[in-house]
Amino acid sequence: MIVRWETNHDYVLVHIHQDMFGDWIFSRAWGQIGTQFGGLKHQLADTLEQAHMWLEDETTIQSSRGFRKVLEVADHTPEGQEAMRQLSLLDVL
């Protein structure tokens, strides 16, 4: 699952996925739109339910900060693949 929030200048993107060992990973990327400023953090969740709880928390936080949800898709969709490509670019910076 991939979820993205934006303001006029900033974005936050969350990706919940399983790694090759079956562990659930909660990845969060943030930054300024159109720049390379930002960051990326990965957290290991004990369960998928815990990762979803973190996503609910993130939704509340971003809403309170004035961010609007602009994307919520599965990994395998074309939109999800494009978001994954953008997220993978952050890993090498």
Side-chain angles (χ1 to χ4, degrees), residues 22-84:
D23 293 324
W24 287 101
I25 309 298
F26 183 90
S27 299
R28 182 178 180 274
W30 64 92
Q32 295 176 346
I33 296 172
T35 73
Q36 293 185 355
F37 295 111
L40 177 63
K41 180 179 180 182
H42 303 287
Q43 293 176 264
L44 179 63
D46 292 330
T47 63
L48 177 58
E49 290 76 23
Q50 182 181 36
H52 281 210
M53 182 183 68
W54 291 344
L55 178 60
E56 289 175 20
D57 292 346
E58 193 69 36
T59 299
T60 301
I61 291 166
Q62 298 314 322
S63 177
S64 71
R65 292 179 177 170
F67 282 72
R68 63 192 177 286
K69 188 186 295 184
V70 297
L71 179 69
E72 184 170 352
V73 295
D75 298 17
H76 62 276
T77 63
E79 297 88 357
Q81 291 297 313
E82 175 61 19
M84 285 296 302

